[in-house]
Amino acid sequence: MSHSLLPTEFERSASGLSQSPKEKPKMLPTSVRFTAEEKAWLLERAGALSLAAFIRLKVLQDAPKTFRNQEPTRRPSSELAVLGQMLGGLGRSGLASSMGDLAKAVKSGALPVSPELEQELQSAAMAIQDMRRALISALGVKVQ
């Protein structure tokens, strides 16, 4: 029985005990230099994979399976990245909260509503929903 003041994780690593099976192995950085032409060639062949994932996949293709158990990281296309940023911006814009505030003001009588204003608010709400649906569809995200 150990009465050490060291944290358990430190004791485990110091004693040579391996990580638990659920822990991912620590990834250690390795630097490789390429010319601009070589890097462009690699990026072209990597496709949707990140450059690091592509190089790791190619270098370790003949390695034991224990080295190849990690799923390669996919790189989104620039268009998908922009769409994702737009969807995030729409979520951060506070439009839903503002529409809710307007609805509360209408219900409490603090905001007099004419038929024209009601129509404009409904149109705005539908436009926001349409933007959200279009962005989600373009990203290929499934909504429950």
Side-chain angles (χ1 to χ4, degrees):
M1 179 186 247
S2 172
H3 295 289
S4 173
L5 297 175
L6 297 174
T8 308
E9 286 183 28
F10 182 79
E11 287 181 38
R12 225 183 306 141
S13 64
S15 67
L17 296 176
S18 63
Q19 301 173 355
S20 71
K22 291 184 180 181
E23 291 178 13
K24 286 186 174 183
K26 182 177 179 181
M27 301 298 284
L28 301 174
T30 301
S31 177
V32 180
R33 295 181 185 271
F34 295 103
T35 65
E37 293 82 17
E38 290 168 337
K39 186 171 181 180
W41 184 85
L42 288 167
L43 284 169
E44 182 180 316
R45 275 144 191 83
L49 292 177
S50 69
L51 186 55
F54 176 73
I55 292 171
R56 189 179 310 110
L57 186 69
K58 290 298 182 183
V59 169
L60 296 176
Q61 67 187 1
D62 296 328
K65 281 193 173 194
T66 56
F67 290 169
R68 294 181 278 131
N69 62 358
Q70 184 179 0
E71 184 68 27
T73 304
R74 303 243 176 242
R75 179 182 53 208
S77 69
S78 59
E79 293 86 8
L80 288 180
V82 169
L83 289 173
Q85 289 172 349
M86 290 172 64
L87 184 60
L90 184 60
R92 288 187 304 274
S93 70
L95 288 173
S97 175
S98 297
M99 295 297 283
D101 292 344
L102 286 172
K104 285 179 188 174
V106 168
K107 286 180 184 177
S108 70
L111 178 64
V113 179
S114 66
E116 295 83 20
L117 178 58
E118 184 177 356
Q119 180 59 39
E120 287 180 32
L121 289 172
Q122 286 179 348
S123 294
M126 288 173 56
I128 293 167
Q129 287 178 334
D130 289 344
M131 284 187 278
R132 181 179 177 273
R133 261 196 284 320
L135 288 168
I136 288 173
S137 174
L139 286 167
V141 176
K142 293 181 182 177
V143 180
Q144 287 128 0

